[in-house]
Every structure is written in C-alpha cells, then in structure tokens.
Amino acid sequence: MNKFDNALEAEIQRLPKTREPERDLWRGIELSLHSQVSGKADENGLNNEPSGQDKRGTIARLSTKPWLAMAASAMLVSVIWFFSPAFTTDETSGEQPKLAGYALVDALSEQQDDQMTSLLASYDSAPELSENWQAQLKELDDAAGVIKAALKDDPNNRALLKMLKHVYQQQITLIERVHAPKWQQI
C-alpha cells in the first residue's frame, strides 16, 4: 500500500463505530403516530369535535382528492386515445405503411444503396485518406450479404435486423471518415 492508502486506513480506524443521533427521535415518532391515529379517527367519523370545527388542512385534503382522481382519469383516457391504433387510419395518418418480413429487408437495402450512391457522389472530388477503404467496404458488404441470407430464413428476427442496420451504418461511417475525417472538420 502507498502513503495515501495507509493514511486513509488510519482515518477510517479513528472514526467511531456507531453513530448516535444528535437529539431524541422518539418524540417525533410519537407525534407522527399520534397524528396518524387521530387522522384515521377523523375519517371514520370518530372525531369528538363538532363537524363545523374540522381542521382546515383536513377539509382541503378531502376536497382535492376527487379533483385529483378526475384529472388522473381524464389524463389516462387521453393517453389511451392518443396512442390507440384504432383511431388512426392509413388515409388520415401521413405515415407510410409498416413493412414486415423480407419486404423490410429489401426496403432497408434499397435505402442503403441510395444513401451510399449519393454519399459517394458527394465525396467524388474529395481526396481519399486511406488506400484500403474499398476492401473494408467490401468486407462490410459481404457481412451485410450474410445477414440478408440469414434474414431470408427468418425475416422478422429483430437481432438480425439490428445487425444489418449496424453494418449499414458502419459503411456510411467508413466513407465519411475516409473522405472527411473529424480532424479536418472545424
């Protein structure tokens, strides 16, 4: 051990083994228990005070409970209605239809091809900072081909779809780093 560890260990040994509270805590606990018991008695109608002399805090608490319950139920209905697919139709929502199966893989591949073509066209005049980037791109393309072949057998496999998206993202990142590295972008 070094000097710091020895000094730290010595300070730890000097600390007291138990810690005592600075004041008597039982009084606060007793008051809390007493107020809980008297609060339950008030709710059950066992209060000895006439009904007009209730504490103001109790009246305020009791009068806000129904409003909070109504607000919470209105919020719940709103959230359920907003996220419910039964109220949205393909004509009213401007979204494209959701793809499933191998159609999703084809759409991802087509989108990737378009993105790669436009990216390579935009970097056509930029100098390449690495000679073997095309070999790396070929390896990533081969990996995407293997993943697509596996997706033909199980087109709804989420893990394979994530892997395919990751490989596509790596291809884009490789092209961007080769043609416009971060150290040149200020």
Side-chain angles (χ1 to χ4, degrees):
M1 282 207 237
N2 59 21
K3 279 172 101 178
F4 176 76
D5 290 335
N6 291 335
L8 181 62
E9 188 66 34
E11 290 295 321
I12 291 173
Q13 294 300 325
R14 277 191 239 148
L15 289 174
K17 301 295 180 198
T18 60
R19 186 170 178 201
E20 297 295 323
E22 297 171 359
R23 60 184 174 87
D24 184 23
L25 299 177
W26 287 112
R27 179 160 172 79
I29 294 170
E30 180 183 8
L31 288 173
S32 174
L33 289 175
H34 179 67
S35 68
Q36 286 178 357
V37 170
S38 67
K40 288 182 181 177
D42 289 345
E43 289 175 7
N44 294 332
L46 300 176
N47 190 1
N48 293 334
E49 298 176 351
S51 61
Q53 296 179 355
D54 285 342
K55 296 178 185 173
R56 183 169 173 82
T58 304
I59 292 172
R61 264 187 278 131
L62 292 177
S63 65
T64 58
K65 285 181 183 178
W67 289 106
L68 288 175
M70 285 191 293
S73 27
M75 184 64 103
L76 179 66
V77 168
S78 303
V79 168
I80 289 173
W81 176 76
F82 183 74
F83 288 110
S84 176
F87 293 108
T88 59
T89 62
D90 289 337
E91 298 87 32
T92 58
S93 65
E95 299 177 17
Q96 296 177 351
K98 295 192 179 209
L99 299 174
Y102 202 74
L104 177 62
V105 177
D106 286 337
L108 282 173
S109 298
E110 185 178 329
Q111 181 183 12
Q112 177 67 11
D113 290 340
D114 292 344
Q115 196 169 9
M116 292 278 290
T117 303
S118 65
L119 194 61
L120 287 171
S122 68
Y123 288 130
D124 191 30
S125 62
E128 300 168 355
L129 300 175
S130 176
E131 286 91 36
N132 68 343
W133 72 274
Q134 291 177 336
Q136 293 173 3
L137 191 63
K138 172 91 171 90
E139 287 177 13
L140 289 171
D141 199 32
D142 292 343
V146 170
I147 294 170
K148 282 195 255 182
L151 279 167
K152 283 185 181 178
D153 295 333
D154 187 11
N156 293 326
N157 189 332
R158 289 183 182 263
L160 289 174
L161 288 170
K162 282 184 180 181
M163 288 172 62
L164 184 63
K165 286 181 183 179
H166 183 68
V167 168
Y168 285 161
Q169 185 58 46
Q170 284 180 328
Q171 287 177 335
I172 292 169
T173 304
L174 174 67
I175 292 172
E176 288 174 345
R177 285 186 182 162
V178 165
H179 291 91
K182 287 190 177 185
W183 59 268
Q184 282 186 345
Q185 298 172 357
I186 297 177

